[in-house]
Amino acid sequence: MPTADTYVRARIDVATKERATAALDEIGLSVSDAIRLLMRRIAEERRLPFDVKAPSASSLQALADIEAGKIEHFATVDDLMADLHADD
């Protein structure tokens, strides 16, 4: 096994790091171990070891509509249900 002689750095929010560290502790790995395993797998398989999917065109449009404030909002579930059944 090659000697570890370089660093990989990544910024991540504290809560995610704490949750991931706790999960890794439960299976007996450190964060560094997990990163090494991930990087080796990527190097060997030349892909991520899990699916990464791009959002569809309709998802991208929905996100844009949300950001633009074009999505209708309801104060309560009853209001939403009334709107859904308005044409009944």
Side-chain angles (χ1 to χ4, degrees):
M1 184 179 307
T3 304
D5 58 1
T6 190
Y7 292 94
V8 175
R9 294 177 52 143
R11 298 198 54 84
I12 189 168
D13 64 276
V14 173
T16 300
K17 181 183 176 194
E18 288 173 353
R19 290 178 30 233
T21 300
L24 289 166
D25 284 344
E26 290 177 12
I27 58 175
L29 294 173
S30 68
V31 172
S32 291
D33 293 334
I35 292 171
R36 275 191 293 277
L37 288 169
L38 173 65
M39 296 296 281
R40 284 189 184 138
R41 189 123 173 233
I42 292 169
E44 290 173 15
E45 298 177 10
R46 302 192 53 78
R47 67 178 192 86
L48 290 172
F50 46 83
D51 289 337
V52 177
K53 297 179 181 179
S56 67
S58 61
S59 293
L60 290 172
Q61 183 60 55
L63 291 170
D65 290 346
I66 290 167
E67 288 180 15
K70 296 179 181 177
I71 302 299
E72 193 167 357
H73 296 271
F74 300 93
T76 68
V77 173
D78 289 336
D79 292 344
L80 169 63
M81 295 308 290
D83 184 72
L84 288 173
H85 295 291
D87 295 333
D88 292 351

